[in-house]
Amino acid sequence: MPSPQPLSERLMRGAIRTLGSMPHWVQRIIAGKPVEVDGQQLATEVQMALRILNRLPGNDFTQLPLAEARAQIDAEARIFGGTHDVAEVTDFVIPTRAGTVGARRYANTPDARGRGTVLYFHGGGWVVGSLESADSACRFIAAESGLEVIAVDYRLAPEHPFPAGLEDAIDAYRWARAERPGARIAVAGDSAGGNLSATVSIATRDDATGPPDFQLLFFPVTDLSTKHRSYELFGEGYFLTEAHMDWYRDHYLPTADAALDPLVSPLLAEDAALTGLPPAHVAVSGFDVLRDEGLAYAERLRVAGVPVTLQLVEGHIHAFVNATGVGKLSSRALAESVSYLGRGLSS
């Protein structure tokens, strides 16, 4: 279950919510001059929150010891995440080939399991992030959709580099298939978790029980082999930076050549490997180093004949699913994504 919040976190969380509820003109004063890049404008409430976040002491977690970096990411998720009441939240474990991984089940209605199951893989570059950092997003999805949501606490690098986290994700999906026979099952995740959702779909396409019924990919990492144009545009100052991605890649991959593996970089998968994958909804942020590779992967899926819907949240930065406690834009964007998830599992 979620850990109690320290007083400093509660105070910061309250301040963020107060700022998020202020009139637009007040937020604009705090945010400063409008920022326009590549024909789009950064949303005022996002710019305001970003300005505050960038001024927090020690906000570059890559300079911290690993345990402190992980604690900081969890704390930021609690500060900026929304509060969403869910009827049932239960921690348990899922068996895997390497032992077990922690998991957290969310259900907001008695028939949630019957409506369908969503396996959620948190973001954090395969290095940071946890059940704690994903808690707000999972609560939102469960409350908004009525579906059963199961967050998976897969192993992290550098203690467990690729393919350990992916193996845990695959095993969690296969566990769900065995434990929920006949159920509609989706995979979902943000950033590195979006990558895992995409690669689980590829890796299980030819399973006897089939791949997932739907994949919900929030600003997924799809290509660690190169840096797309959005790295040049948004590589510094928009929460997720080029330096962060370099740090993640160096921790996650056992060798540089591993970036060429389609189960690391699904954008590099052959056309045949993408054919027959489950329908997908791809949501990307306009001010995000991962924007262009997310757009490119959606197009690759479309060309391969996979039903795809694309959501470009132009005024937002990376990780909007974890910022539903700030203003309204994140909640509206996440609710739109969840609507596609609900339709995808009911079709």
Side-chain angles (χ1 to χ4, degrees), residues 25 37 47 62 67 81 89 106 127 143-144 171 271 291 310 340:
W25 67 269
V37 180
Q47 186 179 341
T62 66
V89 180
Y106 302 82
V127 180
E144 187 79 10
D171 291 350
D271 292 343
R291 182 194 68 180
L310 177 63
Y340 284 100

Side-chain angles (χ1 to χ4, degrees), residues 37-40 218-222 228-234 240 245 267 282-298 310-318:
V37 180
D38 202 30
Q40 58 178 346
F218 293 111
F219 30 87
V221 183
T222 68
H228 295 248
R229 177 171 173 265
S230 48
Y231 270 80
E232 177 184 343
L233 296 173
F234 312 112
L240 179 66
M245 287 303 301
L267 188 60
V282 181
V284 298
S285 299
F287 287 75
D288 188 355
V289 294
L290 301 181
R291 182 194 68 180
D292 290 357
E293 63 194 77
L295 295 174
Y297 191 63
L310 177 63
Q311 177 186 2
L312 174 58
V313 188
E314 286 194 347
H316 224 313
I317 58 174
H318 187 79

